[in-house]
Amino acid sequence: MRERVLGNTVVVLATTALLVGAVGCTGAEDDKDGGKEKAEAVSCTYAWSDIEREQKLTGLSDPITLKKKTDSVSAPIASINGVHYKPHMTSTAPGVRAADAIKALGRHLRTAEPLADPSEAAVPDETGAGYELHAGNLQGSYYAWTYVGLVEADFTYSCAGDGDVEPVKGHVLTWDGVGQGFLSCGDPVEDGDLGTPDAAARSAARKLCPADSPAAKTA
Protein backbone atom coordinates (compact mmCIF):
# COMPACT_ATOMS: atom_id res chain seq x y z
CA MET A 1 0.00 0.00 0.00
CA ARG A 2 1.18 3.50 -0.68
CA GLU A 3 1.71 5.37 2.57
CA ARG A 4 2.18 9.11 2.80
CA VAL A 5 1.19 11.78 5.28
CA LEU A 6 -0.52 14.71 3.64
CA GLY A 7 -1.35 18.16 4.90
CA ASN A 8 -4.64 19.98 4.77
CA THR A 9 -6.23 21.73 1.83
CA VAL A 10 -3.96 23.36 -0.73
CA VAL A 11 -5.64 25.25 -3.57
CA VAL A 12 -3.74 25.56 -6.86
CA LEU A 13 -4.56 26.82 -10.35
CA ALA A 14 -2.29 25.50 -13.08
CA THR A 15 -2.19 24.08 -16.59
CA THR A 16 -0.77 20.82 -17.90
CA ALA A 17 -0.26 20.40 -21.65
CA LEU A 18 -0.25 17.09 -23.46
CA LEU A 19 0.29 16.01 -27.05
CA VAL A 20 -2.28 13.38 -27.94
CA GLY A 21 -3.90 11.76 -30.93
CA ALA A 22 -7.02 10.35 -29.29
CA VAL A 23 -10.61 10.31 -30.46
CA GLY A 24 -12.20 13.69 -29.91
CA CYS A 25 -8.84 15.43 -30.11
CA THR A 26 -7.60 14.85 -33.67
CA GLY A 27 -7.83 16.91 -36.80
CA ALA A 28 -8.01 15.66 -40.39
CA GLU A 29 -7.03 17.06 -43.78
CA ASP A 30 -7.16 15.85 -47.39
CA ASP A 31 -4.11 14.00 -48.62
CA LYS A 32 -3.60 15.52 -52.08
CA ASP A 33 -1.64 12.49 -53.29
CA GLY A 34 -4.04 9.74 -52.25
CA GLY A 35 -7.30 11.57 -51.63
CA LYS A 36 -7.44 10.04 -48.17
CA GLU A 37 -7.85 11.72 -44.87
CA LYS A 38 -5.00 11.59 -42.38
CA ALA A 39 -5.12 12.35 -38.68
CA GLU A 40 -2.76 14.90 -37.25
CA ALA A 41 -1.90 15.27 -33.59
CA VAL A 42 -3.08 18.43 -31.89
CA SER A 43 -2.07 19.96 -28.58
CA CYS A 44 -4.59 19.19 -25.83
CA THR A 45 -4.49 20.84 -22.43
CA TYR A 46 -5.76 20.10 -18.93
CA ALA A 47 -6.30 23.32 -16.97
CA TRP A 48 -6.53 22.40 -13.28
CA SER A 49 -8.25 24.42 -10.56
CA ASP A 50 -9.45 24.02 -6.97
CA ILE A 51 -6.99 21.22 -6.23
CA GLU A 52 -7.56 19.93 -2.70
CA ARG A 53 -5.34 17.48 -0.84
CA GLU A 54 -6.43 16.33 2.59
CA GLN A 55 -5.91 13.39 4.87
CA LYS A 56 -9.31 11.80 5.59
CA LEU A 57 -10.09 9.50 8.51
CA THR A 58 -11.38 6.09 7.34
CA GLY A 59 -11.22 3.85 10.42
CA LEU A 60 -10.91 3.91 14.21
CA SER A 61 -9.91 1.52 16.97
CA ASP A 62 -11.69 1.40 20.30
CA PRO A 63 -10.01 3.50 23.01
CA ILE A 64 -6.87 1.59 24.06
CA THR A 65 -5.94 1.52 27.76
CA LEU A 66 -2.83 -0.35 28.90
CA LYS A 67 -2.91 -0.52 32.71
CA LYS A 68 0.42 -2.33 33.00
CA LYS A 69 3.62 -1.81 31.05
CA THR A 70 3.92 -3.99 27.98
CA ASP A 71 6.21 -4.26 24.98
CA SER A 72 3.52 -4.97 22.37
CA VAL A 73 -0.04 -4.07 21.51
CA SER A 74 -2.52 -5.00 18.79
CA ALA A 75 -5.83 -3.34 18.02
CA PRO A 76 -8.58 -3.99 15.45
CA ILE A 77 -9.58 -0.93 13.46
CA ALA A 78 -13.19 -0.75 12.26
CA SER A 79 -14.17 1.15 9.14
CA ILE A 80 -16.27 4.24 9.76
CA ASN A 81 -19.82 3.56 8.66
CA GLY A 82 -20.73 5.32 5.42
CA VAL A 83 -17.17 6.48 4.66
CA HIS A 84 -15.91 5.06 1.35
CA TYR A 85 -13.81 6.61 -1.40
CA LYS A 86 -13.56 5.29 -4.96
CA PRO A 87 -11.41 6.94 -7.68
CA HIS A 88 -13.73 8.43 -10.27
CA MET A 89 -14.38 11.32 -12.64
CA THR A 90 -17.48 13.34 -13.44
CA SER A 91 -17.46 15.14 -16.79
CA THR A 92 -19.72 17.10 -19.14
CA ALA A 93 -18.70 14.93 -22.12
CA PRO A 94 -17.85 11.25 -22.70
CA GLY A 95 -14.64 11.90 -24.67
CA VAL A 96 -12.29 12.10 -21.66
CA ARG A 97 -11.31 8.91 -19.82
CA ALA A 98 -11.12 9.00 -16.03
CA ALA A 99 -7.80 7.11 -16.00
CA ASP A 100 -6.23 9.61 -18.42
CA ALA A 101 -7.42 12.61 -16.42
CA ILE A 102 -6.09 11.14 -13.15
CA LYS A 103 -2.72 10.35 -14.74
CA ALA A 104 -2.51 13.94 -16.01
CA LEU A 105 -3.25 15.24 -12.52
CA GLY A 106 -0.52 13.03 -11.09
CA ARG A 107 1.99 14.39 -13.60
CA HIS A 108 1.00 17.93 -12.73
CA LEU A 109 1.37 17.31 -8.99
CA ARG A 110 4.59 15.32 -9.56
CA THR A 111 3.50 12.66 -7.11
CA ALA A 112 6.09 10.11 -6.05
CA GLU A 113 3.80 7.27 -7.17
CA PRO A 114 0.84 7.19 -9.57
CA LEU A 115 -2.46 8.36 -8.15
CA ALA A 116 -5.11 5.70 -7.60
CA ASP A 117 -7.07 5.02 -10.79
CA PRO A 118 -10.67 3.79 -11.25
CA SER A 119 -9.57 0.14 -11.32
CA GLU A 120 -8.64 0.26 -7.63
CA ALA A 121 -11.12 -0.84 -4.97
CA ALA A 122 -12.88 1.65 -2.77
CA VAL A 123 -11.28 2.41 0.59
CA PRO A 124 -11.72 1.41 3.28
CA ASP A 125 -12.81 -2.15 2.51
CA GLU A 126 -15.59 -3.80 4.45
CA THR A 127 -13.29 -5.98 6.58
CA GLY A 128 -11.59 -3.10 8.38
CA ALA A 129 -7.94 -3.30 9.43
CA GLY A 130 -5.71 -3.90 12.41
CA TYR A 131 -2.67 -2.35 14.06
CA GLU A 132 0.20 -4.14 15.76
CA LEU A 133 3.17 -2.53 17.49
CA HIS A 134 6.18 -4.00 19.26
CA ALA A 135 7.96 -1.45 21.45
CA GLY A 136 9.06 -1.11 25.03
CA ASN A 137 7.35 0.59 27.97
CA LEU A 138 3.87 0.97 26.55
CA GLN A 139 1.45 2.12 29.25
CA GLY A 140 -1.52 4.45 29.43
CA SER A 141 -4.11 5.55 26.86
CA TYR A 142 -3.55 5.18 23.12
CA TYR A 143 -5.50 5.54 19.87
CA ALA A 144 -5.19 3.98 16.43
CA TRP A 145 -6.70 4.95 13.09
CA THR A 146 -6.52 4.53 9.32
CA TYR A 147 -6.58 7.25 6.69
CA VAL A 148 -6.57 8.01 2.98
CA GLY A 149 -4.65 10.88 1.36
CA LEU A 150 -7.51 12.25 -0.73
CA VAL A 151 -6.90 14.35 -3.85
CA GLU A 152 -9.70 16.22 -5.68
CA ALA A 153 -9.56 18.69 -8.55
CA ASP A 154 -11.63 20.42 -11.24
CA PHE A 155 -10.37 20.51 -14.81
CA THR A 156 -11.04 22.01 -18.22
CA TYR A 157 -9.84 19.90 -21.15
CA SER A 158 -9.43 21.59 -24.52
CA CYS A 159 -7.62 20.90 -27.79
CA ALA A 160 -6.04 23.63 -29.92
CA GLY A 161 -7.11 23.49 -33.55
CA ASP A 162 -9.95 21.10 -32.83
CA GLY A 163 -12.56 23.08 -34.75
CA ASP A 164 -15.60 24.27 -32.86
CA VAL A 165 -15.48 21.55 -30.18
CA GLU A 166 -16.24 23.08 -26.80
CA PRO A 167 -13.78 22.51 -23.92
CA VAL A 168 -14.73 19.66 -21.61
CA LYS A 169 -15.15 20.41 -17.91
CA GLY A 170 -14.95 17.80 -15.18
CA HIS A 171 -13.94 16.80 -11.66
CA VAL A 172 -11.73 13.94 -10.42
CA LEU A 173 -11.42 12.26 -7.04
CA THR A 174 -8.47 10.00 -6.25
CA TRP A 175 -5.78 9.49 -3.61
CA ASP A 176 -2.01 9.21 -3.40
CA GLY A 177 -1.77 6.90 -0.41
CA VAL A 178 -3.42 5.09 2.48
CA GLY A 179 -2.01 4.35 5.90
CA GLN A 180 -2.54 3.94 9.62
CA GLY A 181 -1.31 5.47 12.84
CA PHE A 182 -0.91 4.70 16.55
CA LEU A 183 -0.17 7.38 19.15
CA SER A 184 -0.29 8.01 22.87
CA CYS A 185 -3.06 10.18 24.28
CA GLY A 186 -0.39 11.47 26.65
CA ASP A 187 1.40 13.32 23.84
CA PRO A 188 0.18 16.49 22.09
CA VAL A 189 -0.85 16.03 18.46
CA GLU A 190 1.98 17.45 16.39
CA ASP A 191 1.68 19.10 13.02
CA GLY A 192 2.13 16.77 10.09
CA ASP A 193 3.91 17.06 6.76
CA LEU A 194 5.02 20.56 5.66
CA GLY A 195 4.03 22.01 9.02
CA THR A 196 0.30 21.58 8.44
CA PRO A 197 -2.09 19.82 10.82
CA ASP A 198 -2.50 16.06 10.55
CA ALA A 199 -6.27 16.08 10.08
CA ALA A 200 -6.89 12.35 10.53
CA ALA A 201 -4.79 12.07 13.70
CA ARG A 202 -6.50 15.10 15.21
CA SER A 203 -9.94 13.72 14.45
CA ALA A 204 -9.01 10.33 15.93
CA ALA A 205 -7.60 11.93 19.09
CA ARG A 206 -10.79 13.93 19.64
CA LYS A 207 -12.91 10.79 19.31
CA LEU A 208 -10.81 8.29 21.29
CA CYS A 209 -8.70 10.06 23.92
CA PRO A 210 -9.87 11.25 27.36
CA ALA A 211 -11.05 14.85 27.18
CA ASP A 212 -8.37 16.04 29.62
CA SER A 213 -5.49 14.29 27.82
CA PRO A 214 -2.77 16.31 25.98
CA ALA A 215 -3.78 14.72 22.66
CA ALA A 216 -7.44 15.67 22.98
CA LYS A 217 -6.60 19.18 24.17
CA THR A 218 -4.31 19.88 21.19
CA ALA A 219 -6.49 18.18 18.59
Side-chain angles (χ1 to χ4, degrees), residues 22-205:
V23 175
C25 202
T26 59
E29 63 179 15
D30 289 336
D31 184 341
K32 295 181 180 180
D33 295 330
K36 298 180 181 180
E37 289 188 343
K38 62 180 181 180
E40 58 180 8
V42 294
S43 178
C44 295
T45 302
Y46 282 93
W48 297 100
S49 61
D50 294 331
I51 299 175
E52 297 185 359
R53 305 179 70 174
E54 186 175 6
Q55 194 178 99
K56 292 286 190 178
L57 188 68
T58 58
L60 288 169
S61 68
D62 289 330
I64 301 168
T65 302
L66 304 176
K67 295 182 179 180
K68 297 181 179 180
K69 286 187 178 181
T70 181
D71 58 3
S72 65
V73 63
S74 61
I77 299 176
S79 300
I80 298 174
N81 290 336
V83 176
H84 296 282
Y85 300 100
K86 171 75 175 172
H88 70 274
M89 178 191 74
T90 56
S91 175
T92 58
V96 180
R97 296 176 62 248
D100 293 339
I102 291 173
K103 286 180 181 178
L105 178 58
R107 286 192 294 268
H108 166 65
L109 295 176
R110 297 181 180 179
T111 55
E113 296 186 42
L115 297 174
D117 67 29
S119 67
E120 297 200 33
V123 294
D125 61 31
E126 298 295 335
T127 60
Y131 192 91
E132 186 171 349
L133 176 68
H134 298 277
N137 296 324
L138 294 172
Q139 187 177 18
S141 297
Y142 294 85
Y143 58 108
W145 72 98
T146 57
Y147 66 86
V148 59
L150 208 63
V151 183
E152 293 192 74
D154 294 326
F155 68 83
T156 300
Y157 180 74
S158 57
C159 295
D162 201 21
D164 297 326
V165 177
E166 292 292 328
V168 175
K169 294 183 180 295
H171 179 87
V172 295
L173 180 147
T174 180
W175 63 79
D176 78 344
V178 297
Q180 57 184 210
F182 177 89
L183 289 174
S184 170
C185 294
D187 296 328
V189 180
E190 298 180 355
D191 285 350
D193 193 26
L194 302 179
T196 54
D198 184 335
R202 290 178 183 276
S203 181

